Amino acid sequence: MDTRIFQRSQETGNSDDISHVTTDVKDLIVEKIYEKAESISRKAVRYEGFRESLDKKIDLLLTSKVTGILFMLLLLGVIFWLTLVGANYPSRILAKILFGIQGFLESFLVSIGAPEWVNGFLITGMYKTMAWVVSVMLPPMAIFFPLFTFLEDLGYLPRVAFNLDYFFKRSGTHGKQALTMSMGFGCNAAGVVSCRIIDSPRERIIAILTNNFVPCNGRFPTLMLLASLFIGGLAPDLGWLLAPIAVSGLVVFGVFTTLVVSKLLASTLLKGLPSSFILELPPYRPPHIGGIIIRSIYERTLFVLGRAVAVAAPAGGIIWLLANIKLGNQSLLAQAAAFLDPLGRLVGLDGYILMAFIAGLPANEIVLPILLMGYLAQGSMISPDNFAGLKDLLISNGWTILTAINTMLFSLLHFPCATTLWTIRCETGKARWAIFAAVLTTTVALLVCFIIASLYRLVVWAIL
């Protein structure tokens, strides 16, 4: 190794010089070891031919520098499309059943003479919030997790880590972070749990702190809805194309933000040498359907859903209280929105939007209903089933294309939900990392929204 690099590092105090060279040397050593092993294997081992040849041909396509990333994006796009489209019908059925039960529960409380506020707190607050979470979260997770586990069982996920290893290594983190980030697309709490596969504590913390920058199932409905109403609405004839492109662009921006923030953390607060990542690509194998069902439904879907419901139900009661307890002529929810309005306007949002995200801490699925509740000044969450008048309602409350874009960006980058924060606390063993994750992500979200709002206003000022 060039000793001048050590001298320069000692003079500047910058360990990046050493870490990059060390990583390159490790890669070179591993490459030579595998070349030698492959040479010995070629002489000593005989294969049937067809299977090995088929695996190699597939890998040439899936791990190529050119086609590997493209195929990965295409595959993820198909999974997202199947998840979002496929979840619509079961989500509606679940909502119909659960909200149908709501009527029976209300009638029961009335029949036993329960006070009206008890009915509101338990049913309109706690039960309705829980019903929202279950009907919106369960179908996408029940589709996404089996598809994801199918790819995992097939042997494709190590290829994803292989394709993204270069980018994460340049960010000073571990290639396995690509896998944990992919898990975050289903649920960030599950993504945080999956960070256990990273051995280095430093790199595991970075992966946990940045997992929230990829959207989970709870945020996808809001992103899709706003993209359809405002981005797709820019060209109604091409709305079916513009909206998915906008959502895909947000996902790519989330991955980009993950890399940038990981780099910043690895260069400052969590500085250290990146650990080596020797990845042996396993052969493709037929998936085991029974194992996929058990791992995806029991170990992931029901586990994450159980945590979400446990947090969402009591939080729904608190939100109901905030919306129904009044000081003067305004509810506490409305007064909090008024307090946040100056900051919201500065970053291209408004006070009600910020208040909806704060009140939606228990689960991202309830952000939009809370926002509508605030705009309509109603004391209970409403269901945005009628999308025809939804855009008019938002525009009548001052929404522009800037508001829609920044709301999507804030939804993408803002603080993790309560379930994910609690999971971070459990996985790291320290509450300070959960607090730091909330501060870090919210700071990034506000900064990005402020930059976008400033650029938008500058362009508008220049045009006018």
Side-chain angles (χ1 to χ4, degrees):
M1 190 182 300
D2 192 343
T3 56
R4 288 174 297 180
I5 295 174
F6 282 111
Q7 292 172 355
R8 185 169 68 246
S9 176
Q10 289 176 341
E11 291 171 0
T12 62
N14 185 3
S15 63
D16 288 348
D17 297 332
I18 297 179
S19 65
H20 286 156
V21 174
T22 304
T23 304
D24 292 341
V25 170
K26 286 179 180 176
D27 290 346
L28 186 61
I29 293 173
V30 170
E31 185 179 338
K32 292 301 178 184
I33 290 174
Y34 269 78
E35 283 180 2
K36 187 64 176 176
E38 192 175 20
S39 171
I40 296 172
S41 172
R42 201 176 295 118
K43 295 175 183 176
V45 181
R46 289 185 178 277
Y47 294 96
E48 290 298 327
F50 173 75
R51 180 55 189 269
E52 184 198 21
S53 174
L54 180 62
D55 281 7
K56 284 189 175 180
K57 287 180 180 176
I58 295 175
D59 274 342
L60 284 176
L61 177 68
L62 299 185
T63 60
S64 162
K65 289 183 179 178
V66 179
T67 59
I69 298 293
L70 292 176
F71 190 86
M72 184 180 66
L73 293 175
L74 178 64
L75 194 57
L76 286 176
V78 171
I79 289 177
F80 292 149
W81 182 81
L82 288 174
T83 301
L84 295 173
V85 174
N88 284 338
Y89 294 104
S91 186
R92 288 175 187 170
I93 293 172
L94 266 178
K96 190 173 182 180
I97 294 173
L98 292 174
F99 290 122
I101 294 174
Q102 179 183 341
F104 290 104
L105 294 175
E106 287 175 336
S107 299
F108 171 73
L109 288 178
V110 171
S111 67
I112 63 174
E116 188 176 346
W117 69 267
V118 172
N119 193 323
F121 180 79
L122 292 180
I123 306 302
T124 312
M126 294 183 67
Y127 178 81
K128 199 167 184 177
T129 303
M130 184 192 68
W132 255 100
V133 171
V134 173
S135 61
V136 175
M137 283 186 69
L138 180 56
M141 286 197 297
I143 296 173
F144 181 84
F145 280 138
L147 289 174
F148 194 85
T149 309
F150 176 83
L151 294 179
E152 187 180 47
D153 225 34
L154 190 65
Y156 178 67
L157 292 192
R159 274 80 182 175
V160 174
F162 180 85
N163 289 332
L164 294 178
D165 177 52
Y166 172 80
F167 301 103
F168 280 102
K169 189 168 66 176
R170 290 305 174 196
S171 298
T173 58
H174 203 286
K176 285 182 182 176
Q177 191 175 338
L179 298 177
T180 63
M181 183 189 69
S182 300
M183 284 297 295
F185 283 117
C187 172
N188 294 123
V192 169
V193 173
S194 70
C195 293
R196 295 175 183 177
I197 65 173
I198 300 176
D199 297 324
S200 163
R202 182 187 72 87
E203 291 164 343
R204 191 188 314 131
I205 291 291
I206 293 176
I208 287 174
L209 294 176
T210 57
N211 190 273
N212 194 62
F213 290 130
V214 291
C216 63
N217 280 332
R219 287 179 280 173
F220 267 116
T222 300
L223 298 180
M224 291 292 291
L225 177 62
L226 295 181
S228 301
L229 291 177
F230 286 90
I231 307 299
L234 294 175
D237 293 338
L238 297 175
W240 61 274
L241 181 61
L242 291 179
I245 289 177
V247 176
S248 300
L250 285 169
V251 171
V252 173
F253 183 74
V255 175
F256 173 74
T257 305
T258 299
L259 293 170
V260 172
V261 176
S262 296
K263 178 67 175 176
L264 288 175
L265 290 173
S267 305
T268 54
L269 184 65
L270 295 167
K271 186 183 291 187
L273 295 177
S275 59
S276 59
F277 178 34
I278 301 174
L279 178 63
E280 185 176 358
L281 296 180
Y284 295 101
R285 55 184 180 271
H288 297 90
I289 302 302
I292 290 175
I293 293 174
I294 291 175
R295 294 209 310 277
S296 63
I297 300 299
Y298 179 72
E299 296 180 3
R300 291 173 178 170
T301 302
L302 295 182
F303 173 75
V304 174
L305 185 67
R307 279 186 172 183
V309 169
V311 173
I318 295 173
I319 294 169
W320 183 87
L321 290 175
L322 289 175
N324 287 274
I325 296 177
K326 295 186 177 180
L327 287 177
N329 294 325
Q330 284 188 317
S331 66
L332 293 178
L333 189 67
Q335 292 193 17
F339 175 76
L340 293 170
D341 198 60
L343 175 62
R345 300 289 176 187
L346 181 66
V347 297
L349 305 172
D350 65 30
Y352 277 102
I353 298 173
L354 291 181
M355 190 61 229
F357 278 108
I358 294 172
L361 176 67
N364 289 301
E365 293 79 1
I366 60 176
V367 168
L368 190 58
I370 293 173
L371 177 62
L372 299 180
M373 182 173 66
Y375 281 151
L376 294 173
Q378 292 188 5
S380 63
M381 288 192 296
I382 67 167
S383 171
D385 289 335
N386 181 10
F387 294 145
L390 182 56
K391 185 175 180 180
D392 291 337
L393 171 65
L394 297 176
I395 291 176
S396 67
N397 281 276
W399 276 53
T400 64
I401 185 67
L402 171 65
T403 316
I405 291 173
N406 276 9
T407 302
M408 289 190 287
L409 285 170
F410 196 83
S411 177
L412 174 73
L413 305 173
H414 78 297
F415 51 82
C417 68
T419 306
T420 304
L421 288 173
W422 179 249
T423 305
I424 293 174
R425 159 69 181 81
C426 295
E427 292 300 311
T428 60
K430 295 177 181 176
R432 70 182 185 189
W433 286 119
I435 297 172
F436 183 75
V439 173
L440 173 70
T441 51
T442 305
T443 302
V444 172
L446 290 173
L447 182 62
V448 170
C449 288
F450 175 74
I451 293 172
I452 297 296
S454 299
L455 291 175
Y456 177 85
R457 287 162 183 154
L458 183 63
V459 171
V460 172
W461 175 79
I463 293 175
L464 298 179

